[in-house]
Amino acid sequence: MFRKYSLLGLLVLMPQTGFSESRLLVQENETLLIQDNQELSVDRWIMQKNSRIHFAPGVTRWAIRATSAEFASGAIIDGRGREGLKGSSPNQEIPAAESCQPGQDGEPGTAGKNGVDGVHIQVEAGIERLADLGIYTKGGDGGSGGRGRTGGEP
């Protein structure tokens, strides 16, 4: 299930033997959406089974420092960039040439737009348990170019 959370709303102060502990918990099968660039420091960071961290468009950097961390199987931090926009195609028809004349050249489509860079992710954590953790930061693919128009028939 995908839910939007404010990261501050997920930092829980838990009293334990007379002191407070800051904790980031991403529950099993849940997705935490990071809304803005952040540098975060917590005592405890827990990602349960099949939990995910994703990033809103425009987030370029996320750093976390955790004194202790646990990652269950299927935990993923996904900072991949988005794909670029597709180029456009010309919208004019090329008229047929006059008799015994060569046809007019077709028009090219426009170039696709660049993909978006992936999120720069920095993790510093004292790992207590690591079953599985995927961290993805690949930039997005460029958009496909627009389809050119067929030239005019002779």
Side-chain angles (χ1 to χ4, degrees), residues 56-80:
V59 175
T60 59
R61 177 169 167 52
W62 188 68
I64 185 168
R65 176 182 291 185
T67 305
S68 69
E70 295 180 29
F71 303 100
S73 64
I76 292 176
I77 302 171
D78 191 348
R80 287 180 277 205

Side-chain angles (χ1 to χ4, degrees), residues 39-40 45 61-65 119-124:
E39 288 190 30
L40 182 63
W45 177 18
R61 177 169 167 52
W62 188 68
I64 185 168
R65 176 182 291 185
V119 176
H120 175 80
I121 297 172
Q122 181 178 345
V123 173
E124 184 178 323

Side-chain angles (χ1 to χ4, degrees), residues 43-124:
D43 295 313
R44 206 148 165 73
W45 177 18
I46 302 167
M47 291 187 71
Q48 294 179 342
K49 185 177 180 181
N50 298 319
S51 62
R52 295 176 178 268
I53 295 177
H54 284 247
F55 299 87
V59 175
T60 59
R61 177 169 167 52
W62 188 68
I64 185 168
R65 176 182 291 185
T67 305
S68 69
E70 295 180 29
F71 303 100
S73 64
I76 292 176
I77 302 171
D78 191 348
R80 287 180 277 205
R82 289 166 184 52
E83 185 175 301
L85 297 174
K86 181 180 177 182
S88 61
S89 301
N91 54 11
Q92 288 181 297
E93 290 293 322
I94 303 295
E98 293 184 28
S99 181
C100 297
Q101 297 296 315
Q104 229 179 345
D105 290 340
E107 294 180 30
T110 62
K113 303 297 181 193
N114 291 336
V116 177
D117 290 341
V119 176
H120 175 80
I121 297 172
Q122 181 178 345
V123 173
E124 184 178 323

